[in-house]
Amino acid sequence: MAGGTDFLNRMKLRLIEPAFVMNIGRLRNMDGIDIGNTETVIGANTRLKEIAGAPLINKRFRAIAEAAFQVASPTITNMATVGGNLLQNTRCRYYDQSGMVLNGLERCHKRGGTVCLAVKGSKRCFSVYQGDLAPALIAFEARCVLEKKGSTRTVP
Ligand SMILES: Cc1cc2nc3c(=O)[nH]c(=O)nc-3n(C[C@H](O)[C@H](O)[C@H](O)COP(=O)(O)OP(=O)(O)OC[C@H]3O[C@@H](n4cnc5c(N)ncnc54)[C@H](O)[C@@H]3O)c2cc1C
Ligand code: SF4
């Protein structure tokens, strides 16, 4: 987890029960905004509050600053990171519930079952992505640098 605002909720609801959790939110080499002449780099751990308040982001990429500002409330944006915002889980009212509520419901695709409770008869999950930052980043043709075990790749 980074800010934990998406991840910890899912743990509290017992939707996920990981054997261990690594908190990457304090890795300082992954945060900060670096504004150059040809390229602007936003580290994955940069808090949404910092993006919303950065004068140069507001000047050059206003929609990104506005999107970061619109997310939830200051309590959330103080903790939430851009990496976590992009990679947050999809939401569905038949899924994001406590065990008490879910116990009365048939298991849907997202819970390892075979039905979709939102779209009857569907053979797949219809829960859609709802992150606020991605549309603004797409509009500015942003790219993500993904790193895994020493190798990197860049995706739109
Ligand atoms: C009350 C409430 C309201 C919300 N409202 C909004 C809203 O209006 N708009 C909106 O867009 N979102 C909203 N959210 C969703 C979410 O909390 C935020 O979007 C937030 O930006 C997630 O960032 P985080 O750092 O807290 O993510 P985390 O909870 O830390 O992580 C989310 C996911 O991303 C993964 N992840 C995080 N960082 C990385 C990384 N660097 N590399 C690889 N994987 C990573 C984690 O493994 C996890 O699966 C809301 C959440 C709450 C609780
Ligand atoms: S399978 Fe259907 S009910 Fe379950 S989370 Fe996806 S959209 Fe919602």
Side-chain angles (χ1 to χ4, degrees):
M1 71 172 208
T5 61
D6 179 56
F7 181 82
L8 286 176
N9 270 354
R10 281 185 286 135
M11 272 188 76
K12 281 183 190 167
L13 292 171
R14 303 282 190 272
L15 292 170
I16 50 169
E17 295 181 296
F20 64 89
V21 177
M22 185 189 292
N23 183 357
I24 60 165
R26 290 180 192 271
L27 293 180
R28 289 286 74 98
N29 61 342
M30 277 170 62
D31 73 4
I33 302 168
D34 186 7
I35 302 183
N37 287 333
T38 55
E39 199 171 63
T40 294
V41 179
I42 302 176
N45 275 350
T46 310
R47 311 278 154 171
L48 298 188
K49 189 186 175 196
E50 199 183 326
I51 296 172
L56 276 174
I57 296 284
N58 273 278
K59 194 171 166 199
R60 294 194 196 170
F61 312 105
R62 190 166 178 83
I64 294 175
E66 283 181 354
F69 181 76
Q70 295 290 336
V71 170
S73 61
T75 332
I76 300 284
T77 53
N78 273 339
M79 294 299 294
T81 64
V82 59
N85 190 274
L86 291 174
L87 290 160
Q88 67 182 275
N89 207 340
T90 57
R91 302 223 170 177
C92 172
R93 59 164 52 186
Y94 295 105
Y95 175 78
D96 292 280
Q97 305 286 352
S98 70
M100 216 163 61
V101 176
L102 289 176
N103 272 344
L105 295 174
E106 195 175 348
R107 277 185 180 272
C108 71
H109 295 300
K110 200 165 171 178
R111 289 205 295 141
T114 53
V115 297
C116 173
L117 301 170
V119 182
K120 304 280 179 224
S122 170
K123 293 196 181 331
R124 68 173 178 90
C125 175
F126 267 87
S127 181
V128 293
Y129 180 77
Q130 77 288 308
D132 273 321
L133 227 53
L137 289 165
I138 289 167
F140 287 106
E141 297 179 352
R143 285 164 291 140
C144 275
V145 180
L146 307 176
E147 295 194 12
K148 189 180 181 183
K149 290 184 181 168
S151 70
T152 62
R153 83 193 156 96
T154 304
V155 294

